[in-house]
PDB file of all heavy atoms in Angstrom:
ATOM      1  N   MET A 571     -16.373  25.444  -8.770  1.00 77.00           N
ATOM      2  CA  MET A 571     -15.562  25.651  -7.561  1.00 77.00           C
ATOM      3  C   MET A 571     -15.578  24.520  -6.540  1.00 77.00           C
ATOM      4  O   MET A 571     -14.566  24.185  -6.044  1.00 77.00           O
ATOM      5  CB  MET A 571     -15.859  27.039  -7.069  1.00 77.00           C
ATOM      6  CG  MET A 571     -14.942  27.497  -6.022  1.00 77.00           C
ATOM      7  SD  MET A 571     -13.307  27.809  -6.742  1.00 77.00           S
ATOM      8  CE  MET A 571     -12.531  28.561  -5.361  1.00 77.00           C
ATOM      9  N   LYS A 572     -16.859  24.049  -6.352  1.00 78.00           N
ATOM     10  CA  LYS A 572     -17.084  23.065  -5.347  1.00 78.00           C
ATOM     11  C   LYS A 572     -16.306  21.828  -5.742  1.00 78.00           C
ATOM     12  O   LYS A 572     -15.619  21.049  -5.012  1.00 78.00           O
ATOM     13  CB  LYS A 572     -18.451  22.783  -5.120  1.00 78.00           C
ATOM     14  CG  LYS A 572     -18.891  21.988  -4.021  1.00 78.00           C
ATOM     15  CD  LYS A 572     -20.234  21.546  -3.856  1.00 78.00           C
ATOM     16  CE  LYS A 572     -21.068  22.640  -2.974  1.00 78.00           C
ATOM     17  NZ  LYS A 572     -22.481  22.273  -2.790  1.00 78.00           N
ATOM     18  N   MET A 573     -16.410  21.418  -7.122  1.00 81.00           N
ATOM     19  CA  MET A 573     -15.679  20.296  -7.594  1.00 81.00           C
ATOM     20  C   MET A 573     -14.183  20.368  -7.467  1.00 81.00           C
ATOM     21  O   MET A 573     -13.469  19.378  -7.192  1.00 81.00           O
ATOM     22  CB  MET A 573     -15.995  20.046  -9.157  1.00 81.00           C
ATOM     23  CG  MET A 573     -17.112  19.212  -9.486  1.00 81.00           C
ATOM     24  SD  MET A 573     -17.326  17.754  -8.388  1.00 81.00           S
ATOM     25  CE  MET A 573     -17.169  16.590  -9.665  1.00 81.00           C
ATOM     26  N   PHE A 574     -13.676  21.622  -7.686  1.00 82.00           N
ATOM     27  CA  PHE A 574     -12.160  21.807  -7.671  1.00 82.00           C
ATOM     28  C   PHE A 574     -11.771  21.659  -6.089  1.00 82.00           C
ATOM     29  O   PHE A 574     -10.777  20.902  -5.831  1.00 82.00           O
ATOM     30  CB  PHE A 574     -11.848  23.192  -8.001  1.00 82.00           C
ATOM     31  CG  PHE A 574     -10.529  23.616  -7.940  1.00 82.00           C
ATOM     32  CD1 PHE A 574      -9.595  23.000  -8.812  1.00 82.00           C
ATOM     33  CD2 PHE A 574      -9.965  24.544  -6.976  1.00 82.00           C
ATOM     34  CE1 PHE A 574      -8.213  23.401  -8.660  1.00 82.00           C
ATOM     35  CE2 PHE A 574      -8.721  24.832  -6.906  1.00 82.00           C
ATOM     36  CZ  PHE A 574      -7.762  24.220  -7.784  1.00 82.00           C
ATOM     37  N   LEU A 575     -12.439  22.154  -5.175  1.00 80.00           N
ATOM     38  CA  LEU A 575     -11.963  21.891  -3.779  1.00 80.00           C
ATOM     39  C   LEU A 575     -12.189  20.537  -3.317  1.00 80.00           C
ATOM     40  O   LEU A 575     -11.418  20.030  -2.618  1.00 80.00           O
ATOM     41  CB  LEU A 575     -12.869  22.805  -2.979  1.00 80.00           C
ATOM     42  CG  LEU A 575     -12.674  24.321  -3.044  1.00 80.00           C
ATOM     43  CD1 LEU A 575     -13.615  25.196  -2.094  1.00 80.00           C
ATOM     44  CD2 LEU A 575     -11.169  24.671  -2.658  1.00 80.00           C
ATOM     45  N   LEU A 576     -13.186  19.807  -3.830  1.00 77.00           N
ATOM     46  CA  LEU A 576     -13.415  18.408  -3.520  1.00 77.00           C
ATOM     47  C   LEU A 576     -12.399  17.567  -4.134  1.00 77.00           C
ATOM     48  O   LEU A 576     -11.822  16.679  -3.427  1.00 77.00           O
ATOM     49  CB  LEU A 576     -14.755  17.951  -4.090  1.00 77.00           C
ATOM     50  CG  LEU A 576     -15.291  16.530  -3.538  1.00 77.00           C
ATOM     51  CD1 LEU A 576     -15.351  16.404  -2.031  1.00 77.00           C
ATOM     52  CD2 LEU A 576     -16.583  16.202  -4.277  1.00 77.00           C
ATOM     53  N   SER A 577     -11.899  17.803  -5.309  1.00 79.00           N
ATOM     54  CA  SER A 577     -10.736  17.039  -5.907  1.00 79.00           C
ATOM     55  C   SER A 577      -9.392  17.365  -5.232  1.00 79.00           C
ATOM     56  O   SER A 577      -8.677  16.353  -4.912  1.00 79.00           O
ATOM     57  CB  SER A 577     -10.609  17.460  -7.443  1.00 79.00           C
ATOM     58  OG  SER A 577     -10.217  18.835  -7.546  1.00 79.00           O
ATOM     59  N   ILE A 578      -9.252  18.444  -4.746  1.00 82.00           N
ATOM     60  CA  ILE A 578      -7.905  18.907  -3.978  1.00 82.00           C
ATOM     61  C   ILE A 578      -7.957  18.164  -2.623  1.00 82.00           C
ATOM     62  O   ILE A 578      -7.098  17.532  -2.224  1.00 82.00           O
ATOM     63  CB  ILE A 578      -7.935  20.365  -3.682  1.00 82.00           C
ATOM     64  CG1 ILE A 578      -7.444  21.029  -5.052  1.00 82.00           C
ATOM     65  CG2 ILE A 578      -6.796  20.648  -2.623  1.00 82.00           C
ATOM     66  CD1 ILE A 578      -7.333  22.515  -5.020  1.00 82.00           C
ATOM     67  N   ALA A 579      -9.140  17.972  -1.995  1.00 77.00           N
ATOM     68  CA  ALA A 579      -9.406  17.329  -0.777  1.00 77.00           C
ATOM     69  C   ALA A 579      -9.022  15.811  -0.799  1.00 77.00           C
ATOM     70  O   ALA A 579      -8.391  15.156  -0.019  1.00 77.00           O
ATOM     71  CB  ALA A 579     -10.790  17.531  -0.219  1.00 77.00           C
ATOM     72  N   TYR A 580      -9.583  15.249  -2.010  1.00 73.00           N
ATOM     73  CA  TYR A 580      -9.252  13.885  -2.289  1.00 73.00           C
ATOM     74  C   TYR A 580      -7.805  13.690  -2.610  1.00 73.00           C
ATOM     75  O   TYR A 580      -7.234  12.637  -2.098  1.00 73.00           O
ATOM     76  CB  TYR A 580     -10.083  13.369  -3.538  1.00 73.00           C
ATOM     77  CG  TYR A 580     -11.594  12.993  -3.171  1.00 73.00           C
ATOM     78  CD1 TYR A 580     -12.559  13.533  -3.988  1.00 73.00           C
ATOM     79  CD2 TYR A 580     -11.922  12.146  -2.125  1.00 73.00           C
ATOM     80  CE1 TYR A 580     -13.851  13.301  -3.680  1.00 73.00           C
ATOM     81  CE2 TYR A 580     -13.126  11.901  -1.891  1.00 73.00           C
ATOM     82  CZ  TYR A 580     -14.180  12.337  -2.676  1.00 73.00           C
ATOM     83  OH  TYR A 580     -15.437  12.149  -2.360  1.00 73.00           O
ATOM     84  N   CYS A 581      -7.192  14.528  -3.320  1.00 71.00           N
ATOM     85  CA  CYS A 581      -5.645  14.452  -3.493  1.00 71.00           C
ATOM     86  C   CYS A 581      -4.911  14.485  -2.219  1.00 71.00           C
ATOM     87  O   CYS A 581      -4.070  13.585  -2.005  1.00 71.00           O
ATOM     88  CB  CYS A 581      -5.225  15.493  -4.485  1.00 71.00           C
ATOM     89  SG  CYS A 581      -5.718  15.312  -6.108  1.00 71.00           S
ATOM     90  N   LEU A 582      -5.281  15.335  -1.326  1.00 75.00           N
ATOM     91  CA  LEU A 582      -4.494  15.442  -0.056  1.00 75.00           C
ATOM     92  C   LEU A 582      -4.770  14.259   0.787  1.00 75.00           C
ATOM     93  O   LEU A 582      -3.926  13.763   1.429  1.00 75.00           O
ATOM     94  CB  LEU A 582      -4.970  16.696   0.775  1.00 75.00           C
ATOM     95  CG  LEU A 582      -4.648  17.967   0.218  1.00 75.00           C
ATOM     96  CD1 LEU A 582      -5.153  19.241   0.836  1.00 75.00           C
ATOM     97  CD2 LEU A 582      -3.058  18.091  -0.002  1.00 75.00           C
ATOM     98  N   LEU A 583      -5.986  13.697   0.723  1.00 72.00           N
ATOM     99  CA  LEU A 583      -6.327  12.480   1.473  1.00 72.00           C
ATOM    100  C   LEU A 583      -5.472  11.270   1.038  1.00 72.00           C
ATOM    101  O   LEU A 583      -4.998  10.460   1.701  1.00 72.00           O
ATOM    102  CB  LEU A 583      -7.810  12.179   1.542  1.00 72.00           C
ATOM    103  CG  LEU A 583      -8.386  10.830   2.118  1.00 72.00           C
ATOM    104  CD1 LEU A 583      -8.046  11.134   3.660  1.00 72.00           C
ATOM    105  CD2 LEU A 583      -9.879  10.683   1.861  1.00 72.00           C
ATOM    106  N   PHE A 584      -5.443  11.181  -0.340  1.00 72.00           N
ATOM    107  CA  PHE A 584      -4.697  10.053  -1.007  1.00 72.00           C
ATOM    108  C   PHE A 584      -3.137  10.176  -0.628  1.00 72.00           C
ATOM    109  O   PHE A 584      -2.556   9.164  -0.308  1.00 72.00           O
ATOM    110  CB  PHE A 584      -4.860  10.157  -2.512  1.00 72.00           C
ATOM    111  CG  PHE A 584      -4.061   9.031  -3.195  1.00 72.00           C
ATOM    112  CD1 PHE A 584      -4.410   7.800  -3.212  1.00 72.00           C
ATOM    113  CD2 PHE A 584      -3.054   9.493  -3.967  1.00 72.00           C
ATOM    114  CE1 PHE A 584      -3.729   6.786  -3.917  1.00 72.00           C
ATOM    115  CE2 PHE A 584      -2.114   8.549  -4.588  1.00 72.00           C
ATOM    116  CZ  PHE A 584      -2.621   7.175  -4.643  1.00 72.00           C
ATOM    117  N   ILE A 585      -2.705  11.343  -0.608  1.00 77.00           N
ATOM    118  CA  ILE A 585      -1.193  11.560  -0.298  1.00 77.00           C
ATOM    119  C   ILE A 585      -1.008  11.156   1.104  1.00 77.00           C
ATOM    120  O   ILE A 585       0.022  10.623   1.427  1.00 77.00           O
ATOM    121  CB  ILE A 585      -0.780  13.006  -0.625  1.00 77.00           C
ATOM    122  CG1 ILE A 585      -0.836  13.199  -2.187  1.00 77.00           C
ATOM    123  CG2 ILE A 585       0.602  13.302  -0.148  1.00 77.00           C
ATOM    124  CD1 ILE A 585      -0.585  14.590  -2.535  1.00 77.00           C
ATOM    125  N   SER A 586      -1.888  11.630   2.020  1.00 72.00           N
ATOM    126  CA  SER A 586      -1.636  11.350   3.383  1.00 72.00           C
ATOM    127  C   SER A 586      -1.705   9.886   3.755  1.00 72.00           C
ATOM    128  O   SER A 586      -0.934   9.317   4.416  1.00 72.00           O
ATOM    129  CB  SER A 586      -2.580  12.163   4.305  1.00 72.00           C
ATOM    130  OG  SER A 586      -3.827  11.707   4.043  1.00 72.00           O
ATOM    131  N   LEU A 587      -2.685   9.206   2.987  1.00 68.00           N
ATOM    132  CA  LEU A 587      -2.832   7.791   3.203  1.00 68.00           C
ATOM    133  C   LEU A 587      -1.561   6.912   2.664  1.00 68.00           C
ATOM    134  O   LEU A 587      -1.050   6.034   3.316  1.00 68.00           O
ATOM    135  CB  LEU A 587      -4.096   7.219   2.650  1.00 68.00           C
ATOM    136  CG  LEU A 587      -5.346   7.631   3.385  1.00 68.00           C
ATOM    137  CD1 LEU A 587      -6.481   7.093   2.580  1.00 68.00           C
ATOM    138  CD2 LEU A 587      -5.360   7.041   4.686  1.00 68.00           C
ATOM    139  N   SER A 588      -1.045   7.373   1.555  1.00 66.00           N
ATOM    140  CA  SER A 588       0.121   6.802   1.009  1.00 66.00           C
ATOM    141  C   SER A 588       1.297   6.903   1.818  1.00 66.00           C
ATOM    142  O   SER A 588       2.183   6.120   1.943  1.00 66.00           O
ATOM    143  CB  SER A 588       0.284   7.132  -0.453  1.00 66.00           C
ATOM    144  OG  SER A 588       0.682   8.566  -0.472  1.00 66.00           O
ATOM    145  N   CYS A 589       1.425   8.052   2.430  1.00 59.00           N
ATOM    146  CA  CYS A 589       2.656   8.309   3.191  1.00 59.00           C
ATOM    147  C   CYS A 589       2.504   7.507   4.493  1.00 59.00           C
ATOM    148  O   CYS A 589       3.582   7.069   5.012  1.00 59.00           O
ATOM    149  CB  CYS A 589       2.631   9.837   3.672  1.00 59.00           C
ATOM    150  SG  CYS A 589       3.109  10.915   2.359  1.00 59.00           S
ATOM    151  N   ASN A 590       1.290   7.360   5.122  1.00 54.00           N
ATOM    152  CA  ASN A 590       1.227   6.397   6.278  1.00 54.00           C
ATOM    153  C   ASN A 590       1.528   5.027   5.943  1.00 54.00           C
ATOM    154  O   ASN A 590       2.168   4.294   6.629  1.00 54.00           O
ATOM    155  CB  ASN A 590      -0.284   6.554   6.741  1.00 54.00           C
ATOM    156  CG  ASN A 590      -0.452   7.799   7.472  1.00 54.00           C
ATOM    157  OD1 ASN A 590       0.500   8.577   8.020  1.00 54.00           O
ATOM    158  ND2 ASN A 590      -1.700   8.171   7.681  1.00 54.00           N
ATOM    159  N   GLU A 591       1.106   4.550   4.778  1.00 49.00           N
ATOM    160  CA  GLU A 591       1.412   3.202   4.305  1.00 49.00           C
ATOM    161  C   GLU A 591       3.067   2.996   4.128  1.00 49.00           C
ATOM    162  O   GLU A 591       3.552   2.058   4.481  1.00 49.00           O
ATOM    163  CB  GLU A 591       0.807   2.790   3.075  1.00 49.00           C
ATOM    164  CG  GLU A 591      -0.701   2.604   3.193  1.00 49.00           C
ATOM    165  CD  GLU A 591      -1.061   1.434   4.104  1.00 49.00           C
ATOM    166  OE1 GLU A 591      -0.413   0.347   4.098  1.00 49.00           O
ATOM    167  OE2 GLU A 591      -2.059   1.717   4.878  1.00 49.00           O
ATOM    168  N   GLN A 592       3.672   4.015   3.525  1.00 46.00           N
ATOM    169  CA  GLN A 592       5.089   3.919   3.447  1.00 46.00           C
ATOM    170  C   GLN A 592       5.772   3.928   4.792  1.00 46.00           C
ATOM    171  O   GLN A 592       6.767   3.155   5.046  1.00 46.00           O
ATOM    172  CB  GLN A 592       5.614   5.064   2.750  1.00 46.00           C
ATOM    173  CG  GLN A 592       5.583   4.972   1.166  1.00 46.00           C
ATOM    174  CD  GLN A 592       6.134   6.216   0.481  1.00 46.00           C
ATOM    175  OE1 GLN A 592       6.349   7.270   1.087  1.00 46.00           O
ATOM    176  NE2 GLN A 592       6.556   5.817  -0.768  1.00 46.00           N
ATOM    177  N   ASN A 593       5.286   4.763   5.828  1.00 45.00           N
ATOM    178  CA  ASN A 593       5.899   4.618   7.140  1.00 45.00           C
ATOM    179  C   ASN A 593       5.616   3.358   7.826  1.00 45.00           C
ATOM    180  O   ASN A 593       6.595   2.769   8.465  1.00 45.00           O
ATOM    181  CB  ASN A 593       5.286   5.776   8.001  1.00 45.00           C
ATOM    182  CG  ASN A 593       5.755   7.135   7.530  1.00 45.00           C
ATOM    183  OD1 ASN A 593       6.695   7.262   6.831  1.00 45.00           O
ATOM    184  ND2 ASN A 593       5.041   8.128   7.910  1.00 45.00           N
ATOM    185  N   LYS A 594       4.530   2.687   7.545  1.00 46.00           N
ATOM    186  CA  LYS A 594       4.258   1.495   8.219  1.00 46.00           C
ATOM    187  C   LYS A 594       5.179   0.318   7.520  1.00 46.00           C
ATOM    188  O   LYS A 594       5.790  -0.433   8.267  1.00 46.00           O
ATOM    189  CB  LYS A 594       2.912   0.879   7.962  1.00 46.00           C
ATOM    190  CG  LYS A 594       1.924   1.636   8.746  1.00 46.00           C
ATOM    191  CD  LYS A 594       0.511   1.085   8.523  1.00 46.00           C
ATOM    192  CE  LYS A 594      -0.596   1.912   9.227  1.00 46.00           C
ATOM    193  NZ  LYS A 594      -1.895   1.540   8.850  1.00 46.00           N
ATOM    194  N   HIS A 595       5.458   0.441   6.206  1.00 44.00           N
ATOM    195  CA  HIS A 595       6.426  -0.506   5.624  1.00 44.00           C
ATOM    196  C   HIS A 595       7.877  -0.252   6.153  1.00 44.00           C
ATOM    197  O   HIS A 595       8.567  -1.240   6.372  1.00 44.00           O
ATOM    198  CB  HIS A 595       6.394  -0.239   4.041  1.00 44.00           C
ATOM    199  CG  HIS A 595       7.322  -1.095   3.246  1.00 44.00           C
ATOM    200  ND1 HIS A 595       7.061  -2.499   3.240  1.00 44.00           N
ATOM    201  CD2 HIS A 595       8.353  -0.809   2.578  1.00 44.00           C
ATOM    202  CE1 HIS A 595       8.006  -3.045   2.496  1.00 44.00           C
ATOM    203  NE2 HIS A 595       8.794  -1.994   2.096  1.00 44.00           N
ATOM    204  N   VAL A 596       8.240   0.941   6.284  1.00 44.00           N
ATOM    205  CA  VAL A 596       9.642   1.212   6.793  1.00 44.00           C
ATOM    206  C   VAL A 596       9.727   0.718   8.167  1.00 44.00           C
ATOM    207  O   VAL A 596      10.802   0.105   8.637  1.00 44.00           O
ATOM    208  CB  VAL A 596       9.897   2.716   6.663  1.00 44.00           C
ATOM    209  CG1 VAL A 596      11.153   3.066   7.381  1.00 44.00           C
ATOM    210  CG2 VAL A 596      10.087   3.067   5.185  1.00 44.00           C
ATOM    211  N   ALA A 597       8.665   0.915   9.018  1.00 41.00           N
ATOM    212  CA  ALA A 597       8.659   0.472  10.401  1.00 41.00           C
ATOM    213  C   ALA A 597       8.738  -1.058  10.414  1.00 41.00           C
ATOM    214  O   ALA A 597       9.564  -1.534  11.255  1.00 41.00           O
ATOM    215  CB  ALA A 597       7.560   0.939  11.180  1.00 41.00           C
ATOM    216  N   ASN A 598       8.153  -1.752   9.648  1.00 45.00           N
ATOM    217  CA  ASN A 598       8.146  -3.214   9.554  1.00 45.00           C
ATOM    218  C   ASN A 598       9.644  -3.744   9.076  1.00 45.00           C
ATOM    219  O   ASN A 598      10.047  -4.662   9.672  1.00 45.00           O
ATOM    220  CB  ASN A 598       7.090  -3.806   8.745  1.00 45.00           C
ATOM    221  CG  ASN A 598       5.645  -3.615   9.394  1.00 45.00           C
ATOM    222  OD1 ASN A 598       5.631  -3.427  10.660  1.00 45.00           O
ATOM    223  ND2 ASN A 598       4.637  -3.603   8.636  1.00 45.00           N
ATOM    224  N   THR A 599      10.178  -3.046   8.179  1.00 46.00           N
ATOM    225  CA  THR A 599      11.364  -3.560   7.670  1.00 46.00           C
ATOM    226  C   THR A 599      12.622  -3.116   8.457  1.00 46.00           C
ATOM    227  O   THR A 599      13.670  -3.771   8.439  1.00 46.00           O
ATOM    228  CB  THR A 599      11.632  -3.067   6.143  1.00 46.00           C
ATOM    229  OG1 THR A 599      11.572  -1.638   6.191  1.00 46.00           O
ATOM    230  CG2 THR A 599      10.598  -3.747   5.257  1.00 46.00           C
ATOM    231  N   SER A 600      12.496  -2.166   9.347  1.00 43.00           N
ATOM    232  CA  SER A 600      13.596  -1.741  10.161  1.00 43.00           C
ATOM    233  C   SER A 600      13.996  -2.704  11.226  1.00 43.00           C
ATOM    234  O   SER A 600      15.006  -2.595  11.835  1.00 43.00           O
ATOM    235  CB  SER A 600      13.301  -0.316  10.653  1.00 43.00           C
ATOM    236  OG  SER A 600      12.287  -0.436  11.657  1.00 43.00           O
ATOM    237  N   VAL A 601      13.043  -3.438  11.714  1.00 46.00           N
ATOM    238  CA  VAL A 601      13.388  -4.586  12.621  1.00 46.00           C
ATOM    239  C   VAL A 601      14.254  -5.690  11.976  1.00 46.00           C
ATOM    240  O   VAL A 601      13.821  -6.327  11.151  1.00 46.00           O
ATOM    241  CB  VAL A 601      12.123  -5.137  13.215  1.00 46.00           C
ATOM    242  CG1 VAL A 601      12.433  -6.274  14.208  1.00 46.00           C
ATOM    243  CG2 VAL A 601      11.291  -4.116  13.821  1.00 46.00           C
ATOM    244  N   SER A 602      15.475  -5.717  12.422  1.00 46.00           N
ATOM    245  CA  SER A 602      16.407  -6.653  11.796  1.00 46.00           C
ATOM    246  C   SER A 602      16.794  -7.787  12.830  1.00 46.00           C
ATOM    247  O   SER A 602      16.866  -7.509  13.977  1.00 46.00           O
ATOM    248  CB  SER A 602      17.723  -5.930  11.316  1.00 46.00           C
ATOM    249  OG  SER A 602      18.402  -5.427  12.358  1.00 46.00           O
ATOM    250  N   THR A 603      16.978  -8.866  12.341  1.00 63.00           N
ATOM    251  CA  THR A 603      17.363 -10.041  13.141  1.00 63.00           C
ATOM    252  C   THR A 603      18.874 -10.208  13.131  1.00 63.00           C
ATOM    253  O   THR A 603      19.348 -10.964  13.913  1.00 63.00           O
ATOM    254  CB  THR A 603      16.735 -11.264  12.560  1.00 63.00           C
ATOM    255  OG1 THR A 603      17.186 -11.510  11.285  1.00 63.00           O
ATOM    256  CG2 THR A 603      15.260 -11.207  12.647  1.00 63.00           C
ATOM    257  N   GLY A 604      19.683  -9.418  12.370  1.00 80.00           N
ATOM    258  CA  GLY A 604      21.133  -9.502  12.410  1.00 80.00           C
ATOM    259  C   GLY A 604      21.566  -8.962  11.058  1.00 80.00           C
ATOM    260  O   GLY A 604      20.833  -8.708  10.098  1.00 80.00           O
ATOM    261  N   LEU A 605      22.919  -8.792  11.039  1.00 89.00           N
ATOM    262  CA  LEU A 605      23.522  -8.349   9.740  1.00 89.00           C
ATOM    263  C   LEU A 605      24.232  -9.522   9.118  1.00 89.00           C
ATOM    264  O   LEU A 605      24.844 -10.309   9.754  1.00 89.00           O
ATOM    265  CB  LEU A 605      24.451  -7.249  10.031  1.00 89.00           C
ATOM    266  CG  LEU A 605      23.936  -5.921  10.539  1.00 89.00           C
ATOM    267  CD1 LEU A 605      24.958  -4.933  10.827  1.00 89.00           C
ATOM    268  CD2 LEU A 605      23.035  -5.346   9.412  1.00 89.00           C
ATOM    269  N   TYR A 606      24.012  -9.519   7.779  1.00 91.00           N
ATOM    270  CA  TYR A 606      24.660 -10.511   7.023  1.00 91.00           C
ATOM    271  C   TYR A 606      25.674  -9.932   6.026  1.00 91.00           C
ATOM    272  O   TYR A 606      25.435  -8.777   5.522  1.00 91.00           O
ATOM    273  CB  TYR A 606      23.592 -11.295   6.042  1.00 91.00           C
ATOM    274  CG  TYR A 606      22.720 -12.105   7.043  1.00 91.00           C
ATOM    275  CD1 TYR A 606      21.531 -11.593   7.603  1.00 91.00           C
ATOM    276  CD2 TYR A 606      22.956 -13.396   7.284  1.00 91.00           C
ATOM    277  CE1 TYR A 606      20.709 -12.289   8.420  1.00 91.00           C
ATOM    278  CE2 TYR A 606      22.171 -14.236   8.000  1.00 91.00           C
ATOM    279  CZ  TYR A 606      21.003 -13.572   8.595  1.00 91.00           C
ATOM    280  OH  TYR A 606      20.332 -14.371   9.440  1.00 91.00           O
TER     281      TYR A 606
END
């Protein structure tokens, strides 16, 4: 049972970190210098 809860915690941590990385990528690309 302890292993199961630990694996779920790792999965949630991985998902939250990947979402933060995606938000940083979107924030960096949203700054535009002009439209072409």
Side-chain angles (χ1 to χ4, degrees):
M571 184 70 175
K572 192 186 268 186
M573 268 320 242
F574 179 71
L575 291 176
L576 191 58
S577 63
I578 290 178
Y580 281 131
C581 288
L582 291 175
L583 180 65
F584 177 74
I585 290 171
S586 67
L587 288 176
S588 66
C589 288
N590 286 339
E591 289 299 318
Q592 279 184 336
N593 289 340
K594 286 180 186 176
H595 178 68
V596 169
N598 288 339
T599 57
S600 67
V601 177
S602 65
T603 58
L605 288 177
Y606 293 84

